[in-house]
Amino acid sequence: MSIARDLDIILAHGPELSASGIDYYKLGLWAAGLPKTRILALNPALPREELARRLRAFLYHGPKHRVLLAALEPQRRALNIIRLLLDEIGINPEFLGVLDLQEALGYLDPKTCSLKAETLIRMAAIMLTRAEPIATQELTVPSRVLVYGDSFAAIKSAVDLADQEYSVLLGFPGPTLHPLVPGVALTQALGEELRQLAAQAQAHPAIRLLPQARILAVEGSAGNFQVRLKTPEEVLEEQVGAMILAPELELRPGDAIGAPASHPRVLTQTRLEEILAAPEEAGDLLGTGDAPLQVAFLGPDSHPLALRRALETAKKFLSRDNCQVLLFIRDAKVGAPGLEADLEEAASSGLIVVKLPGLPALSLENDRPRLRFFDPVMHQEESLACDLLVLAEVYGPGAANAGLIGILNLWPSPPGFLQGDNVRNLPVITNRRGIYVAGPARAAMELDQALAEADAAVSEVHQLLGRGRATAPQGRAVIDRGRCVLCLTCQRLCPHGAVSWDNRAIINELACQGCGICASQCPNEAIQIRNFTDDQVAAAMENLDPRLTPKIIAFLCQNSAWEAYLAAVKMHQAVLPPGFTPLRMPCAGKIDIDYLLKAFTHGADAVLVLGCHPDNCRSQQGNAHALFRVERAQVMLEEAGVDPRRLVFRTLAANAPQDFLAAVRHLADLLEGLKAA
């Protein structure tokens, strides 16, 4: 099993190859001897017209013929050739393979450099001639979008989508739209721009308001969601192409400190704001005489927005001559624009900031709150009676989030927000294409950031739906319906909600992200991921060069380890073992146990599996699937008498070439130790 189809190889040569120990003439003769191949040695320094003439004379098979360009740093040294092939000659990008020979350089022995270059070309030729171009298709999808939530992010998303000629359903849990401005008092009047935005949402002809709405169920996937919504009047069945989730934050009491359920001198932040907004109540609370008033704010350290809100209220007391204001806090979270300056300004105006490792104990003495705490500065127990105690409130996820997580099969963050802590999804992406989160659905944040995320969510919707005409890959994931027995393993494990079924499994190509988890888990091998097929992997492993040792086969996730590998080979001090063979995977979750075991049967001395760090996998749990299979394969290897240490799993980031080199070096050192033993 070697090169499967006719292939034209272009070897871009220059003095840099010879200086690195590779004789391009001998390399070209070797490549010409490969079956089903032709070779053109071409100096990229030639004038553009001459390059074009030679390429046209050589590539007589036409633009659909497969072409492999091998060069040292091709994106820099052979860029003119690449542009000519794509722009003027019209080679399909899917049929053009670009190979960097950098990995073949740096070995002390020129023979090793040449053998490595030959191996790189052979492997690239094997994979390219088995690759199939992935066509695109245009699908008709609904141009209706469901926006759920009553935050300003939800309102802005709905208005912007309606302005772009989408039909919008704006559902929200309350009887009216009542958005928050995080970090300010609830009683503070909205600015003119925000009032106009809310008025637009209620008056726009393309927006249908659904007050007191609750999402009961969602079926389907990107471009074709069937949503059941319950309102006080009816249960609606709606078809939408995409959803934007932006439920408003909820204000909840902070850490409990034994405060009484109700006491006139112990107030929540919200109740205090209501009192200060009512002149009569404020007068009763503050008094009109010159008697001193001691006010303590307790624990606004859950989020910078909570601290900002407390400072805004504290300033109203600091402006009075008879008030002493204290702020008890564990950790002053000032990571918001201008917040540190606001805290310093308040301190200069008389605010006393008391930083404690824990919250004070609260009791009532003579109908006044008393706080007891250990002062880390004075190193002694302290007691403080105050006239008014203000309990901070926490900005938390909306109450509807818990239900949405289960209904939509989302991967949430631990506090209950609708997007997990995955850097690959920032800012608005979820594990399911077509479902986007913005602003308070994702985290507590400033209003400006929430509105910017609404813009990003609208952009994602437009990119997906295209006002009713969506573009999707065609045939990226292929199901052999003769093999499929409808066990629904693929449907249960797909992290993107892209699998449905009739009498056999069906993959929604608009929702599918090509991770390959379904293919590796299918018990009947009924699913293949185009350009990452079992046939390609097997062909690569069968053609290992026995002269290059130690033979290490590395399965690399294309989202992390593959990028780290490409960066590593460009580092001057990086020299990989001669027998190192990297195989790119769409996700670590695509790696099958059969791949790991067959690698050893084809002569591998060791196998390395590299995936994304936990919580950074684009497919959520692809790295966990890979680790599970590695551990199972290690047990099988041990039972067969193979040292399981020869199979290693590691995680790393795309921008960590040093970690990649360290993992390879560790495995190479282990093989040296096993060989010596």
Side-chain angles (χ1 to χ4, degrees):
M1 186 183 293
S2 57
I3 297 174
R5 292 185 177 92
D6 291 341
L7 176 68
D8 287 340
I9 300 176
I10 300 171
L11 177 60
H13 67 83
E16 68 277 357
L17 283 182
S18 299
S20 303
I22 297 178
D23 187 330
Y24 82 87
Y25 182 74
K26 291 183 178 179
L27 183 61
L29 290 176
W30 169 85
L34 292 173
K36 303 180 183 179
T37 62
R38 299 185 311 128
I39 182 75
L40 171 65
L42 191 60
N43 187 344
L46 290 172
R48 182 181 178 85
E49 296 76 11
E50 181 62 16
L51 289 174
R53 186 188 68 79
R54 296 191 184 190
L55 287 172
R56 287 195 179 94
F58 176 65
L59 299 171
Y60 64 85
H61 286 293
K64 292 187 178 181
H65 197 63
R66 286 167 171 77
V67 178
L68 174 63
L69 171 64
L72 179 64
E73 297 181 89
Q75 296 296 338
R76 182 170 67 89
R77 299 178 187 270
L79 187 58
N80 283 339
I81 298 178
I82 295 174
R83 288 174 175 169
L84 284 169
L85 290 171
L86 295 175
D87 300 339
E88 293 194 16
I89 297 177
I91 297 294
N92 186 331
E94 297 280 351
F95 289 110
L96 176 62
V98 179
L99 171 64
D100 192 346
L101 295 173
Q102 183 73 44
E103 190 187 337
L105 310 182
Y107 299 105
L108 298 178
D109 180 13
K111 183 179 180 181
T112 302
C113 293
S114 296
L115 288 175
K116 187 65 177 180
E118 293 171 6
T119 297
L120 292 174
I121 292 175
R122 183 190 301 108
M123 290 297 172
I126 288 170
M127 302 298 279
L128 181 59
T129 57
R130 283 172 170 75
E132 295 291 344
I134 299 174
T136 58
Q137 58 184 325
E138 195 173 75
L139 304 173
T140 301
V141 294
S143 58
R144 173 175 288 186
V145 180
L146 171 64
V147 178
Y148 188 77
D150 58 352
S151 65
F152 277 116
I155 294 171
K156 188 175 191 305
S157 297
V159 171
D160 288 352
L161 285 168
D163 287 343
Q164 295 185 34
E165 302 178 3
Y166 289 93
S167 173
V168 179
L169 298 172
L170 177 55
F172 45 94
T176 60
L177 290 170
H178 189 65
L180 296 177
V181 180
V184 303
L186 301 184
T187 55
Q188 181 173 315
L190 298 177
E192 179 63 24
E193 186 176 350
L194 293 178
R195 287 201 303 272
Q196 289 182 1
L197 183 63
Q200 279 182 282
Q202 297 183 68
H204 204 296
I207 298 177
R208 180 183 176 186
L209 297 178
L210 300 174
Q212 295 181 276
R214 184 161 58 94
I215 298 177
L216 298 179
V218 175
E219 296 180 356
S221 51
N224 185 28
F225 291 108
Q226 291 83 45
V227 183
R228 292 184 66 211
L229 291 156
K230 180 177 176 56
T231 68
E233 294 79 23
E234 58 184 332
V235 174
L236 302 173
E237 300 274 353
E238 300 289 346
Q239 184 181 30
V240 298
M243 289 181 272
I244 296 177
L245 308 176
E248 188 54 274
L249 297 169
E250 287 199 353
L251 284 169
R252 301 168 183 169
D255 296 334
I257 57 169
S262 176
H263 192 277
R265 294 184 182 275
V266 181
L267 304 176
T268 64
Q269 179 80 35
T270 296
R271 179 58 186 148
L272 177 61
E273 290 168 354
E274 293 171 348
I275 292 174
L276 294 178
E280 292 185 4
E281 288 190 80
D284 293 340
L285 177 69
L286 302 178
T288 56
D290 297 328
L293 185 69
Q294 197 161 38
V295 182
F297 286 79
L298 190 60
D301 56 356
S302 62
H303 192 276
L305 294 175
L307 177 58
R308 171 168 286 166
R309 185 171 169 230
L311 289 177
E312 289 297 319
T313 307
K315 288 178 183 178
K316 297 179 180 180
F317 291 98
L318 291 171
S319 62
R320 299 174 60 94
D321 294 335
N322 67 327
C323 283
Q324 183 184 50
V325 185
L326 299 96
L327 175 66
F328 288 87
I329 198 165
R330 288 173 295 188
D331 182 17
K333 291 183 169 62
V334 293
L339 185 53
E340 188 169 7
D342 289 345
L343 182 59
E344 292 176 355
E345 180 184 350
S348 65
S349 300
L351 177 69
I352 301 173
V353 180
V354 184
K355 294 191 69 174
L356 301 173
L359 291 175
L362 170 64
S363 61
L364 293 175
E365 295 183 8
N366 300 322
D367 205 33
R368 296 180 69 199
R370 178 171 290 278
L371 300 174
R372 291 182 172 84
F373 55 93
F374 179 80
D375 190 331
V377 177
M378 302 300 295
H379 295 283
Q380 62 184 22
E381 295 288 338
E382 296 288 349
S383 176
L384 174 72
C386 54
D387 300 294
L388 182 64
L389 180 64
V390 184
L391 302 178
E393 292 173 318
V394 175
Y395 287 102
N401 286 15
L404 292 174
I405 290 166
I407 292 170
L408 299 174
N409 193 23
L410 299 178
W411 293 87
S413 64
F417 290 104
L418 300 180
Q419 184 194 67
D421 186 17
N422 189 330
V423 68
R424 300 184 185 280
N425 288 343
L426 296 178
V428 299
I429 305 296
T430 68
N431 57 291
R432 297 193 63 185
R433 196 174 185 209
I435 301 177
Y436 307 101
V437 295
R442 195 177 68 78
M445 62 182 66
E446 297 274 359
L447 180 59
D448 288 348
Q449 183 182 351
L451 296 180
E453 291 197 354
D455 290 338
V458 169
S459 177
E460 290 288 344
V461 168
H462 182 62
Q463 184 177 356
L464 175 70
L465 300 182
R467 296 194 185 93
R469 301 299 295 175
T471 301
Q474 187 172 22
R476 178 166 57 184
V478 180
I479 294 180
D480 185 339
R481 294 177 68 86
R483 283 179 173 268
C484 177
V485 295
L486 203 63
C487 66
L488 296 185
T489 300
C490 53
Q491 193 270 342
R492 291 194 304 271
L493 293 176
C494 177
H496 308 297
V499 182
S500 59
W501 69 92
D502 47 17
N503 63 335
R504 294 292 184 270
I506 301 172
I507 294 179
N508 180 328
E509 295 185 299
L510 192 59
C512 176
Q513 299 188 32
C515 64
I517 291 176
C518 58
S520 62
Q521 290 281 18
C522 179
N524 218 29
E525 297 182 353
I527 306 176
Q528 293 292 332
I529 304 300
R530 185 166 287 178
N531 300 333
F532 296 98
T533 62
D534 297 344
D535 176 62
Q536 287 174 296
V537 175
M541 293 192 294
E542 288 177 9
N543 285 273
L544 298 176
D545 193 327
R547 295 171 293 179
L548 295 175
T549 57
K551 292 186 285 295
I552 299 174
I553 295 180
F555 295 96
L556 310 179
C557 170
Q558 68 176 0
N559 300 311
S560 56
W562 183 261
E563 296 297 325
Y565 157 72
L566 294 179
V569 296
K570 291 179 172 60
M571 299 170 63
H572 295 297
Q573 72 273 25
V575 179
L576 296 172
F580 180 82
T581 303
L583 295 177
R584 181 167 64 100
M585 296 285 111
C587 172
K590 171 66 174 70
I591 301 166
D592 199 320
I593 289 181
D594 284 349
Y595 295 175
L596 306 177
L597 300 179
K598 285 180 179 179
F600 287 101
T601 63
H602 288 301
D605 297 308
V607 175
L608 181 62
V609 176
L610 295 178
C612 301
H613 285 312
D615 298 323
N616 276 338
C617 174
R618 187 182 299 277
S619 298
Q620 303 301 320
Q621 290 191 319
N623 45 13
H625 286 297
L627 175 59
F628 171 73
R629 291 173 196 141
V630 165
E631 291 174 342
R632 285 189 60 194
Q634 286 173 332
V635 172
M636 295 178 183
L637 290 173
E638 189 169 20
E639 291 174 350
V642 178
D643 193 324
R645 291 178 296 171
R646 293 177 181 269
L647 173 58
V648 175
F649 175 82
R650 293 282 187 275
T651 62
L652 46 73
N655 61 347
Q658 293 289 2
D659 291 347
F660 171 83
L661 292 173
V664 176
R665 196 176 299 118
H666 170 79
L667 190 52
D669 291 344
L670 173 65
L671 292 176
E672 284 293 325
L674 293 175
K675 183 179 179 181

